Amino acid sequence: MYTDQRKDNQPLELSRDIPLAPFTSFKIGGPARFLTKARTLEQLKQALSFAKAEGIPFLIVGGGSNLLVSDRGFDGIAIRLQMKGIKVQGNRVEAQAGVDLMALVEHAAHWGLAGIERLAGIPGLFGGAVRGNAGAYGSCIGDVIERVHALRADTLELVTLARDACQFQYRNSRFKKDHGLVVVAASLLLEPGAPQEILSRAEATVRKRQARQLQCDLSAGSFFMNPVVRDPELIQRFETEQGTHCRDGRIPAGWLIDRARLRSLSVGAAMVSPRHANYLINTGNASAQEMVRLAELVKDEVRASLGVQLEEEVSCVGFIPAGPLPS
Ligand SMILES: Cc1cc2nc3c(=O)[nH]c(=O)nc-3n(C[C@H](O)[C@H](O)[C@H](O)COP(=O)(O)OP(=O)(O)OC[C@H]3O[C@@H](n4cnc5c(N)ncnc54)[C@H](O)[C@@H]3O)c2cc1C
């Protein structure tokens, strides 16, 4: 199906108690009970079967650029997706989930296919981008998806979903809502164009991102999603101050965090970036606990001062979900 030449029948290689921090852009997180790589669809199936047989949860790790792993780690099997097949046919590019997003942008440009160059510079892998409908500068991956191939973790059934069935929304998709669906590949429908012009646009996008000087910090990009705000006064304040209209009723979380005067706020070595208030950064040896406490402080302050509830964009893994308060 893809230009992935590796054999499908290699046995599953498992490592035990491997720290996940090096596999995340935050460089935070304790060990996974098991860690494996899935270089092929068959290896992914084996890893998921293993999780089922052992009665343990699984965690898909792409580029780790949107992931906060707890200090206690992940008591299950972490599966690093490394299926890197990619093929082109006319205006259609089909890629497996383990393809680096930037490499995909460059391949498409090289083939004279436009439509994803404004995603240039977003870290992570194609599968992670599809799952979170990654986007920047007004475009997102869901805009150009034709269909997505996903594996149902419980039955190992491969399903193909047309774009409309993927429920792409702002930083959201069906795959984000349903943890049991693992994105294994997807096809994109792109527009023909001159390779050099497409490449120039991609390079300009990367330069624009680099000028913000955010790529070198240890972060997971925007920590919170831009919330839908219903307060007309706040919307007017934002629009007047920024000289722009808010898109789809959403106000940038960074602007709200700034208004709450939280820039540079820290908990231990976790800090609200002085450069971009929606980036929470690890300034050295931050623990996940410090990062989560900082995030909670930010949420509390923004809610108290502006009446807006922020919600995490980052996937938080290995934390005990909050239960009801004891009565
Ligand atoms: C400096 C910086 C800048 C960033 N800028 C942007 C930006 O402009 N726009 C934007 O949208 N994002 C941005 N991000 C966030 C991040 O790059 C994206 O969310 C990216 O698409 C995540 O992909 P990943 O492969 O790293 O996912 P990971 O971090 O590995 O995983 C994130 C979540 O998705 C799940 N997952 C990963 N792959 C799959 C799969 N194949 N199937 C099912 N679930 C999966 C994981 O289990 C996890 O829950 C930025 C991050 C950084 C560090």
Side-chain angles (χ1 to χ4, degrees):
M1 190 177 179
Y2 307 96
T3 54
D4 183 354
Q5 299 300 320
R6 294 184 186 97
K7 285 204 181 91
D8 254 8
N9 53 3
Q10 288 164 350
L12 187 67
E13 286 171 29
L14 287 175
S15 310
R16 270 183 171 268
D17 300 324
I18 303 295
L20 289 174
F23 305 118
T24 74
S25 55
F26 262 135
K27 301 289 175 253
I28 290 176
R33 178 153 31 134
F34 298 104
L35 178 73
T36 191
K37 288 178 192 166
R39 295 192 185 87
T40 63
L41 185 59
E42 194 49 45
Q43 287 180 343
L44 174 61
K45 286 182 180 176
Q46 286 178 32
L48 294 171
S49 302
F50 176 82
K52 195 172 175 187
E54 295 289 313
I56 55 173
F58 70 88
L59 167 68
I60 302 295
V61 180
S65 63
N66 207 220
L67 202 54
L68 177 62
V69 178
S70 89
D71 299 316
R72 292 161 7 138
F74 177 69
D75 192 17
I77 177 169
I79 307 168
R80 295 185 63 207
L81 280 196
Q82 303 204 331
M83 298 127 67
K84 297 180 192 290
I86 180 166
K87 68 178 183 185
V88 61
Q89 191 182 34
N91 293 357
R92 179 180 292 119
V93 175
E94 188 152 331
Q96 288 186 302
V99 171
D100 182 79
L101 185 62
M102 185 63 199
L104 185 62
V105 171
E106 284 168 350
H107 271 91
H110 173 76
W111 289 322
L113 292 173
I116 52 173
E117 54 277 18
R118 273 178 295 173
L119 308 184
I122 298 180
L125 307 185
F126 181 47
V130 171
R131 183 244 185 208
N133 192 16
Y137 305 117
S139 77
C140 43
I141 196 83
D143 296 345
V144 288
I145 290 280
E146 181 191 27
R147 47 180 181 243
V148 176
H149 306 287
L151 195 62
R152 281 195 199 286
D154 51 353
T155 59
L156 301 186
E157 180 197 358
L158 196 58
V159 292
T160 297
L161 300 168
R163 183 171 168 271
D164 284 352
C166 297
Q167 301 166 11
F168 288 116
Q169 287 166 341
Y170 164 74
R171 299 299 171 270
N172 209 340
S173 75
R174 178 166 181 170
F175 314 101
K176 193 163 179 178
K177 293 174 207 153
D178 184 350
H179 174 72
L181 272 181
V182 181
V183 175
V184 294
S187 58
L188 307 175
L189 280 184
L190 301 173
E191 295 291 325
Q196 203 44 54
E197 283 172 22
I198 303 168
L199 201 57
S200 299
R201 285 200 294 273
E203 285 165 357
T205 306
V206 170
R207 279 198 300 276
K208 205 165 157 183
R209 296 179 75 95
Q210 282 168 344
R212 297 164 79 207
Q213 294 188 312
L214 297 168
Q215 308 284 115
C216 45
D217 287 324
L218 303 182
S219 80
S222 293
F223 198 92
F224 300 104
M225 292 200 269
N226 295 334
V228 173
V229 170
R230 308 213 183 275
D231 176 355
E233 255 177 59
L234 196 57
I235 294 174
Q236 201 184 11
R237 202 170 139 198
F238 166 75
E239 292 187 339
T240 310
E241 203 177 287
Q242 296 296 302
T244 178
H245 285 294
C246 67
R247 269 191 233 148
D248 307 324
R250 292 185 185 272
I251 288 188
W255 184 82
L256 295 164
I257 298 168
D258 247 349
R259 292 286 85 52
R261 299 180 189 282
L262 302 174
R263 219 178 253 236
S264 301
L265 176 76
S266 353
V267 173
M271 187 187 198
V272 177
S273 165
R275 285 192 276 263
H276 186 318
N278 197 16
Y279 273 47
L280 304 192
I281 59 175
N282 172 8
T283 62
N285 282 320
S287 62
Q289 184 66 16
E290 287 170 346
M291 198 55 78
V292 164
R293 279 175 49 207
L294 179 64
E296 286 304 324
L297 262 181
V298 168
K299 284 164 81 172
D300 287 352
E301 289 294 323
V302 168
R303 191 174 47 242
S305 58
L306 302 168
V308 178
Q309 179 66 48
L310 293 178
E311 204 182 311
E312 283 79 1
E313 181 178 327
V314 170
S315 289
C316 296
V317 166
F319 298 91
I320 299 168
L325 289 172
S327 48

